[in-house]
Amino acid sequence: IKFKASGDKALKAAITALANEQDRLIGKTKGVGAAQENTARSGRLLNNSLATMRSKLLLVNFAMAMGIRQLIGFTKEAAKVESMSRAFNTLSGGADSGTVALEKLKAATNGTMNEFDLFQQANNAMVLGITKNSNEMAEMFDIAQRLGRALGVDTKRSVESLITGIGRQSRLMLDNIGIIVKADEAYGKYAEKLGTTADKLSDADKKTAFLEATMESARAKVALLGDEVSTSQDSFDRLSASVANAAVAIGDKFKGAVSDIIDTFLSFNDEQKENT
């Protein structure tokens, strides 16, 4: 008995057509998925652009509310701090060393000095050659603050009096924070330590002698004050330092834009001069 298929060709053609339609449908589905991904990516880019634009608009509104003149003042201070910071990092042996040293000085003064004043006095100490490392400098700043506090002198002036007083061997500067050093006695004591006489000391020896005598006197006076106790004046000084640092931070944000405006104005001014 033999059986013969009938209509199989039409069935095969129908199955093949169905398979082709399925392939086209899958292709279209993939295309829709890719289009959705592109749409999502475009949406993310748009959101990022809008966020950036919104941030810039907030900065502009903030600048307008603050006042252009005041903003320029902030950028000037930011530029000064940047220059002082660069010199500080160079003198202290690099950015990493400079960062560590700065944190030590902030801790030594209990945050009562803004960054510009810290950089200025630290650079002054290193240029005058009165400190070998950040630990010595931090001790000087701490002693100056404590002696000044006892005499009602703010931290900035106290540190400046100690650093400049030692560097220039100025009794008047040291007297601001209650330190009295007689140069002749300091030279004689140091010469005896070296086994020589005061008249044979070099300028470098005299500077070292005066430094040692000053720090010896300063440490003795600080010891009489007892443990360090923060005062209300310290709180006000910290507030002033924070406000000054905040102004510099604001100026730093607008520094690039203001610099571009200034450069554009100067270029325009030069062109006008050339054309006249």
Side-chain angles (χ1 to χ4, degrees), residues 48-81:
N48 291 336
S49 299
L50 290 174
T52 302
M53 184 183 299
R54 185 164 54 250
S55 299
K56 291 184 180 297
L57 287 174
L58 287 174
L59 288 175
V60 171
N61 289 334
F62 181 72
M64 295 301 294
M66 182 179 297
I68 299 300
R69 181 174 299 178
Q70 188 173 11
L71 183 61
I72 291 176
F74 287 170
T75 58
K76 285 183 179 179
E77 291 303 314
K80 289 180 182 179
V81 171

Side-chain angles (χ1 to χ4, degrees), residues 162-237:
L162 180 62
I163 298 301
T164 306
I166 294 175
R168 298 180 181 175
Q169 300 184 34
S170 171
R171 293 179 57 185
L172 292 176
M173 293 293 290
L174 295 175
D175 188 59
N176 291 333
I177 50 177
I179 299 176
I180 299 175
V181 178
K182 295 181 179 180
D184 292 338
E185 292 181 3
Y187 298 158
K189 185 176 180 179
Y190 188 71
E192 184 178 351
K193 177 181 176 180
L194 297 180
T196 183
T197 57
D199 59 323
K200 293 183 180 179
L201 293 178
S202 65
D203 290 339
D205 290 334
K206 291 180 179 179
K207 179 183 289 188
T208 302
F210 194 86
L211 169 61
E212 290 187 358
T214 301
M215 292 305 297
E216 181 180 349
S217 175
R219 292 187 185 104
K221 290 184 180 296
V222 166
L224 296 175
L225 297 176
D227 295 334
E228 184 174 12
V229 178
S230 181
T231 65
S232 298
Q233 183 60 49
D234 291 332
S235 297
F236 283 108
D237 289 342

